[in-house]
């Protein structure tokens, strides 16, 4: 009996000790969890690291406030507190979040920014979605046009070539067109080399060879851009009056321009609805890509996005789209990065549209290239695709020095 009582008392004592330790451990755990960041001096926790590795969003707002003694004083009493004013980690955070008091000899717009935290977001966007979806847009357009060519073939002149031509475009108009076209092609090719080269060319040709190509592409891109912007203005002045939308364009669109079936070509004047669409895409997007290009040509001199975002927020566009307000306090580097991303997106859209334009103006339609090649088009081609314009030109009285209708050689 004594032995049993002794054993039970021991067991009871062990249970008491175990429950006490468990309660103390739980208390410590709760206290640690509720004050984890204080216990680590404001550093990130294991949970933060694991969440980031899983691709989850981690709120780093707590780190922006862990900047140390900004006023020159420091506490050395708290556990793991900084010893001697501000620690290296806190200095780094001050630099990262643009809170450090920096004095530099160069007083340019971005000289005092030593760490630009949003640069990684730009790099991920540039090497990820921008390359992926931009490349798919171009390849998709080429594939679509190839499929259309296999189904429809080359659009013929249904009445056959008459052998009589009329002037479609004057030499100065064709010069402006080819200046715009050639400069855009050079800009597109050099832009693609710059964007995709690091990913696709360096593994094939190596860093040194790609360096020569990249430097040359950059020089061509920067200088040819002026020819593009000049020709864009000239083209607008020449053709804007002919590209104002009318009710006739609605009929043209409803009939698909007559390119999907024979003997169904809708009436059109000098430019049909499809050509007007391309004209305004080139003018509007060309102006936009020129503006972002100027921002890149002259770094930190032409910030655009902070003011644009503020305007979009004020008129309620972001609210209508269910978005949070766009940031309006942007660092100079962020302005540049946004300009580069926007420049590339607009350029990809323009390239996809221009590929379709090149197709229909060359292999896709008989007689179309002559309009910009020699400036003369066959009368039957003009009657089929631009009947109202052909009728207007043919009814004009030929001048003494310039025959409107001439036999084809």
């Amino acid at each position: 009996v004594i032995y049993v009582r002794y054993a039970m008392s021991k067991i009871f004592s062990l249970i008491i000790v175990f429950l006490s330790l468990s309660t103390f451990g739980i208390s410590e755990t709760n206290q640690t969890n509720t004050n984890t960041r204080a216990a680590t001096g404001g550093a990130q926790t294991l949970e933060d690291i694991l969440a980031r590795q899983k691709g989850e969003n981690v709120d780093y707002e707590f780190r922006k406030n862990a900047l140390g003694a900004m006023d020159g004083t420091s506490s050395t009493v708290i556990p793991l507190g900084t010893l001697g004013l501000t620690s290296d980690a806190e200095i780094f955070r001050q630099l990262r979040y643009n809170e450090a008091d920096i004095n530099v000899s160069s007083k340019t717009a971005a000289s005092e920014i030593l760490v630009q935290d949003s640069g990684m977001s730009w790099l991920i966007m540039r090497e990820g979605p921008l390359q992926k979806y931009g490349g798919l847009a171009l390849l998709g357009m080429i594939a679509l046009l190839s499929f259309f060519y296999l189904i429809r073939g080359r659009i013929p002149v249904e009445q056959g070539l008459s052998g009589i031509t009329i002037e479609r475009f004057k030499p100065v108009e064709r010069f402006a067109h080819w200046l715009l076209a050639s400069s855009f092609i050079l800009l597109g090719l050099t832009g693609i080399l710059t964007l995709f080269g690091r990913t696709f060319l360096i593994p094939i040709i190596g860093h040194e060879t790609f360096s020569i190509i990249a430097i040359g592409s950059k020089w061509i891109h920067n200088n040819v851009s002026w020819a593009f912007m000049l020709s864009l203005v000239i083209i607008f002045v020449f053709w804007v009056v002919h590209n104002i939308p009318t009710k006739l364009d609605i009929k043209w669109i409803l009939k698909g321009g007559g390119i999907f079936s024979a003997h169904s070509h809708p009436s059109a004047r000098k430019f049909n609805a499809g050509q007007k669409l391309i004209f305004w895409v080139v003018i509007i997007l060309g102006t936009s890509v020129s503006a972002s290009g100027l921002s890149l040509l002259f770094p930190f001199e032409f910030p655009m996005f902070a003011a644009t975002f503020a305007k979009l927020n004020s008129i309620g566009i972001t609210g209508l789209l269910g978005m949070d307000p766009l940031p309006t306090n942007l660092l100079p580097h962020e302005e540049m990065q946004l300009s580069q991303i926007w420049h590339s997106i607009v350029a990809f859209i323009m390239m996809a549209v221009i590929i379709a334009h090149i197709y229909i103006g060359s292999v896709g339609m008989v007689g179309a290239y002559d309009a910009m090649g020699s400036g003369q088009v066959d009368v039957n081609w003009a009657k089929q695709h631009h009947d109202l314009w052909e009728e207007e030109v043919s009814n004009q009285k030929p001048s003494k020095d310039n025959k409107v209708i001439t036999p084809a050689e």
Side-chain angles (χ1 to χ4, degrees):
V1 174
I2 294 174
Y3 176 78
V4 172
R5 288 180 178 177
Y6 176 77
M8 290 187 65
S9 65
K10 288 290 185 181
I11 293 173
F12 182 76
S13 299
L14 289 174
I15 292 174
I16 296 297
V17 171
F18 176 77
L19 291 176
S20 300
L21 291 174
S22 299
T23 304
F24 177 77
I26 294 172
S27 176
E28 282 290 308
T29 301
N30 290 336
Q31 183 178 358
T32 302
N33 289 337
T34 56
N35 199 20
T36 303
R37 306 209 188 283
T40 59
Q44 61 181 337
T45 64
L46 177 61
E47 288 75 14
D48 296 331
I49 297 173
L50 294 175
R52 189 173 66 249
Q53 290 176 346
K54 295 177 182 178
E56 300 174 358
N57 291 328
V58 179
D59 183 11
Y60 286 115
E61 194 68 28
F62 70 93
R63 302 187 72 182
K64 294 183 179 181
N65 299 321
L67 304 178
M70 300 288 289
D71 57 353
T73 62
S74 178
S75 172
T76 59
V77 178
I78 62 173
L80 299 179
T82 57
L83 301 178
L85 300 180
T86 306
S87 68
D88 290 343
E90 289 167 337
I91 292 175
F92 179 79
R93 292 192 197 104
Q94 293 175 18
L95 295 174
R96 177 179 180 181
Y97 297 116
N98 200 31
E99 296 290 342
D101 183 15
I102 301 172
N103 293 316
V104 294
S105 58
S106 175
K107 295 297 182 181
T108 58
S111 60
E112 295 182 354
I113 301 173
L114 304 184
V115 178
Q116 200 258 312
D117 192 51
S118 59
M120 285 307 300
S121 299
W122 165 77
L123 184 62
I124 293 171
M125 174 66 179
R126 187 177 186 273
E127 295 184 348
L130 191 61
Q131 289 188 8
K132 177 181 178 181
Y133 296 111
L136 287 176
L138 300 185
L139 295 176
M141 178 59 74
I142 294 173
L144 182 63
L145 293 173
S146 300
F147 178 75
F148 179 77
Y149 183 80
L150 292 175
I151 300 299
R152 180 72 167 90
R154 198 177 188 194
I155 300 173
V157 178
E158 295 171 356
Q159 299 299 322
L161 298 175
S162 66
I164 301 175
T165 61
I166 58 176
E167 186 179 56
R168 177 92 170 125
F169 294 110
K170 293 179 172 60
V172 66
E173 293 177 292
R174 288 184 285 122
F175 169 77
H177 170 271
W178 287 117
L179 180 63
L180 183 69
S182 58
S183 60
F184 181 79
I185 290 173
L186 283 174
L187 291 171
L189 291 176
T190 53
I192 288 174
L193 283 173
T194 303
L195 181 63
F196 290 94
R198 184 180 296 274
T199 304
F200 297 100
L201 288 183
I202 287 179
I204 300 174
I205 64 178
H207 288 82
E208 292 184 1
T209 304
F210 176 73
S211 175
I212 298 173
I213 297 174
I215 293 171
S217 296
K218 180 180 182 296
W219 187 90
I220 292 172
H221 200 91
N222 290 349
N223 290 279
V224 171
S225 61
W226 299 106
F228 173 80
M229 288 185 280
L230 175 62
S231 56
L232 190 70
V233 175
I234 297 173
I235 287 295
F236 177 79
V237 173
F238 280 167
W239 292 338
V240 64
V241 68
H242 299 291
N243 282 279
I244 298 174
T246 64
K247 293 181 179 180
L248 196 66
D249 298 325
I250 299 176
K251 297 179 180 179
W252 191 95
I253 294 173
L254 292 176
K255 289 188 176 182
I259 63 175
F260 297 100
S261 59
H263 308 289
S264 61
H265 297 280
S267 295
R269 299 191 183 277
K270 184 167 185 174
F271 293 105
N272 57 44
Q275 292 167 325
K276 290 180 180 180
L277 177 62
I278 292 176
F279 173 84
W280 287 112
V281 165
V282 170
I283 294 298
I284 295 174
L285 297 188
T287 301
S288 180
V289 82
S290 297
S292 58
L294 287 172
S295 178
L296 296 171
L297 280 171
F298 301 97
F300 313 122
E301 296 295 329
F302 301 104
M304 302 182 301
F305 285 89
T308 303
F309 289 168
K311 190 66 175 177
L312 292 174
N313 291 338
S314 64
I315 62 179
I317 296 297
T318 53
L320 290 175
L321 297 177
M323 300 168 52
D324 293 330
L326 297 171
T328 56
N329 185 22
L330 299 175
L331 298 175
H333 294 78
E334 291 175 314
E335 285 278 359
M336 293 292 294
Q337 289 157 0
L338 288 171
S339 292
Q340 191 275 329
I341 295 295
W342 181 255
H343 192 78
S344 301
I345 292 173
V346 174
F348 273 123
I349 297 173
M350 290 186 69
M351 284 189 283
V353 172
I354 295 303
I355 288 173
H357 176 63
I358 293 173
Y359 166 80
I360 203 68
S362 55
V363 299
M365 180 182 293
V366 174
Y369 177 78
D370 296 333
M372 280 300 170
S374 64
Q376 304 286 326
V377 294
D378 192 88
V379 169
N380 285 347
W381 180 92
K383 289 180 178 179
Q384 178 173 316
H385 298 287
H386 302 273
D387 55 339
L388 298 179
W389 170 78
E390 185 277 332
E391 182 180 349
E392 178 183 343
V393 173
S394 298
N395 289 337
Q396 292 178 354
K397 293 182 179 180
S399 63
K400 184 177 182 180
D401 299 325
N402 182 31
K403 293 183 178 179
V404 177
I405 300 180
T406 59
E409 296 181 359

